[in-house]
Amino acid sequence: MRTDRACLAAAFAAALTAPLAAQEVQGTQDPLSAIEWLEDGGAEQMTPLQPPEPPVADRVARPEVESRPLDAPGVEAAGLLPMSVTGLPPDLWSESRTETLVPLVAAVDPAVPALSALLFTLLLAEADPSQGPETEVSLLAARLDRLFDEGGIEPGLALIERAGGTASPALFTRWMDFALLSRTAENACRALERQPALSEDLATRIYCDARTGDWEHAATVLGTAEALGRLDERTAELLARFIDPALADGASPVAVPPRPTPLEFRLFEAIGETLPTQPLPVPFAVADLGGTSGWRAQVLAAERLARRGALSDNRLLGLYTERSPAASGGVWDRVAAVQALDEALESGRPDLVAPALRQAWSQMRSAGLLVPFSRLFGPRLAEVSLEGEAAGLALRAELLSPEYEIAAANVTGTDPTMRTVAAIAQGRAPEPLPDAPRLAAAAEAWSGTEVPRRLSEMLRAGKLGEALLRAIALFSSGAEGNHGDITAALATFRAVGLEDTARRAAIQALLLHDEGALR
């Protein structure tokens, strides 16, 4: 069918090139709107071909028509990042099989933030669909599921809306989950009201009936579903209290499931039994960033998302510096340390910056947030004249920042880790290669190492996306001790032009495990 559509589009474009060249086309339009008489009542002026017949209906409903330009990408090709942004070709997935890519997307586990960023890029890139039946949306579904698992609720919601949340029941289910956590379920519920076939889940339909104001229908469906045993006891109780809050008066709290769904999470909140997000999977942390949670909950949620690369550095810093901490210990110590460093850098006094940096570095390292911290403060620290241990930490922060190549020129001494990192930051291998296996494995990728045969064959076959996913997995294997896999992964990234990704990944892997840095 895809080939037929392509041929139709080509033929149609060839036939109409001259007329269309004289027209102004402003984005995607409903094709029916181009037929003026459908809008101005001109149809009534047409002469019927046969005598009029008695009416068979008392009203006419004009169906909703979803339109798309003939050259627009299909659902599976949807993305937020165009090729001009990612640098990735449109055939990123097209030579691979969907059934091969789906488990890869679900299983790959980036070992360092640089590869988390690459994974997000792959998930959000515009690209031609993979090979598989056109009726399926399994790769897009897998991309959305992975974005959800990583806490990428906002980009995931934007992606599914770009693809069309009503394109299939499978996509609608995901749209609903993303929308519930982002507090934007109204649009999804309105879509379900127009197209009931999008979901057979009774809990979702009852919830949406209530959200769109049809409380009586919601109550009727709930009663029927309970009578037929179509809802479990917990869900039925949550929906009943949601529809009629008076039922909660004097009643015992509803038992909390070990892994609530987004709908259950929102229902608990709606009936006044809000669940804490810390024990829940990462995507639920997004719910604490909506402004209704306390400051501590917001900071903890932001930290969880920042570790996965699902929150911008500036948003994390904004929450850290929002107000003065009212307590000490745990997260408050991190907040105080970041604020103290920020204030010290504003003063420009090295005697204040040095102790503040030591404290902040220790706090952020223990929280697994050194890379976001370094991106925020590394360039600023480079402008301060520091000495001793503080100078070493400032240099490491700059190496973990986008300014790593500039920082490399300031590396001196014989420390093997810093010497190796400095060479990699400048795109070369140190001479001689270091003795430590981890250092040597990273450095060898810049000494002429070839891409592994299996990945090389994938690249020759045009399976770039699949090769990159496997390279990310290889790097994770190397980080766990199979050092040769680090070399193979980095060589692959370099071979396909991802030099910056390769350097960042190597630098992060070495510095984040450097025993010489302050803990």
Side-chain angles (χ1 to χ4, degrees):
M1 183 180 294
R2 187 181 308 162
T3 303
D4 293 342
R5 288 183 178 176
C7 293
L8 176 60
F12 189 81
L16 299 183
T17 298
L20 286 179
Q23 298 177 22
E24 291 186 6
V25 181
Q26 300 293 336
T28 303
Q29 298 180 13
D30 183 343
L32 296 181
S33 66
I35 306 174
E36 295 181 359
W37 56 264
L38 282 179
E39 300 294 340
D40 63 12
E44 297 177 1
Q45 301 170 13
M46 298 180 65
T47 303
L49 297 179
Q50 298 178 356
E53 299 179 358
V56 295
D58 57 0
R59 63 188 179 89
V60 176
R62 177 177 171 179
E64 293 187 14
V65 178
E66 183 176 337
S67 63
R68 180 184 296 133
L70 290 175
D71 60 348
V75 171
E76 277 285 320
L80 299 182
L81 303 178
M83 184 176 64
S84 60
V85 173
T86 65
L88 298 171
D91 60 355
L92 178 67
W93 310 114
S94 60
E95 297 303 318
S96 296
R97 298 292 303 177
T98 300
E99 57 267 29
T100 300
L101 294 172
V102 167
L104 274 176
V105 169
V108 67
D109 185 18
V112 292
L115 298 186
S116 293
L118 175 58
L119 177 60
F120 268 93
T121 298
L122 293 172
L123 296 177
L124 294 172
E126 287 183 353
D128 296 335
S130 54
Q131 296 181 18
E134 187 177 351
T135 56
E136 295 184 359
V137 291
S138 50
L139 179 56
L140 176 58
R143 291 161 58 198
L144 289 165
D145 289 345
R146 189 55 194 266
L147 284 167
F148 187 87
D149 291 342
E150 294 297 309
I153 301 302
E154 291 181 2
L157 184 60
L159 174 59
I160 202 166
E161 290 177 347
R162 173 72 60 87
T166 59
S168 72
L171 285 181
F172 178 80
T173 298
R174 290 165 174 82
W175 184 18
M176 195 70 196
D177 284 345
F178 279 95
L180 283 164
L181 290 187
S182 63
R183 301 179 187 275
T184 58
E186 185 74 20
N187 290 338
C189 284
R190 292 292 180 190
L192 182 59
E193 182 182 34
R194 294 190 297 268
Q195 298 175 251
L198 286 172
S199 178
E200 295 183 357
D201 181 67
L202 285 176
T204 298
R205 298 180 70 163
I206 293 167
Y207 174 80
C208 280
D209 277 345
R211 279 294 303 265
T212 55
D214 197 347
W215 297 93
E216 290 186 4
H217 189 259
T220 300
V221 175
L222 173 59
T224 303
E226 285 187 279
L228 297 176
R230 296 283 301 277
L231 289 174
D232 64 82
E233 185 177 346
R234 177 189 294 112
T235 302
E237 182 64 23
L238 286 170
L239 287 167
R241 296 188 189 189
F242 175 62
I243 294 172
D244 185 2
L247 294 175
D249 293 343
S252 300
V254 180
V256 178
R259 291 181 66 89
T261 65
L263 177 56
E264 288 173 331
F265 179 81
R266 283 299 178 215
L267 287 172
F268 272 103
E269 179 184 64
I271 66 173
E273 299 178 21
T274 303
L275 302 180
T277 65
Q278 283 297 305
L280 302 180
V282 171
F284 290 87
V286 173
D288 280 333
L289 299 181
T292 59
S293 301
W295 184 33
R296 181 178 183 276
Q298 292 183 56
V299 173
L300 289 172
E303 289 182 335
R304 294 182 72 191
L305 294 168
R307 288 187 199 103
R308 306 296 282 265
L311 189 85
S312 71
D313 300 335
N314 285 332
R315 193 168 181 187
L316 177 63
L317 180 62
L319 282 168
Y320 274 144
T321 57
E322 185 174 296
R323 67 191 80 162
S324 298
S328 60
V331 66
W332 299 125
D333 287 346
R334 288 193 293 278
V335 169
V338 169
Q339 290 186 5
L341 178 59
D342 189 48
E343 292 170 3
L345 286 169
E346 288 292 329
S347 73
R349 292 175 51 183
D351 60 318
L352 297 179
V353 172
L357 173 58
R358 286 193 292 268
Q359 184 64 25
W361 183 273
S362 178
Q363 287 290 332
M364 299 305 279
R365 180 164 192 163
S366 66
L369 292 165
L370 270 186
V371 173
F373 169 82
S374 297
R375 289 193 297 250
L376 286 166
F377 291 104
R380 294 175 65 187
L381 288 165
E383 299 174 358
V384 183
S385 297
L386 298 170
E387 297 179 353
E389 184 181 62
L393 295 180
L395 183 56
R396 283 177 167 82
E398 193 179 5
L399 286 165
L400 288 170
S401 80
E403 307 297 330
Y404 60 82
E405 193 166 359
I406 296 173
N410 297 322
V411 175
T412 58
T414 59
D415 179 83
T417 297
M418 295 298 287
R419 192 173 67 86
T420 303
V421 166
I424 290 173
Q426 297 174 82
R428 58 180 177 81
E431 297 181 0
L433 288 176
D435 295 327
R438 180 184 291 270
L439 299 179
E444 284 172 2
W446 279 267
S447 62
T449 301
E450 295 183 355
V451 177
R453 179 178 177 182
R454 184 184 182 191
L455 295 184
S456 180
E457 290 174 351
M458 284 185 192
L459 294 174
R460 283 197 295 271
K463 300 178 180 180
L464 176 59
E466 182 179 346
L468 289 176
L469 289 173
R470 294 190 185 279
I472 294 173
L474 267 180
F475 192 94
S476 298
S477 171
E480 294 174 355
N482 302 310
H483 299 305
D485 289 345
I486 287 183
T487 309
L490 292 173
T492 302
F493 296 138
R494 298 192 69 220
V496 300
L498 296 177
E499 178 71 19
D500 180 64
T501 295
R503 293 189 196 183
R504 287 176 187 250
I507 292 169
Q508 290 169 7
L510 298 182
L511 289 183
L512 296 179
H513 294 86
D514 180 18
E515 297 299 327
L518 177 67
R519 286 192 176 276

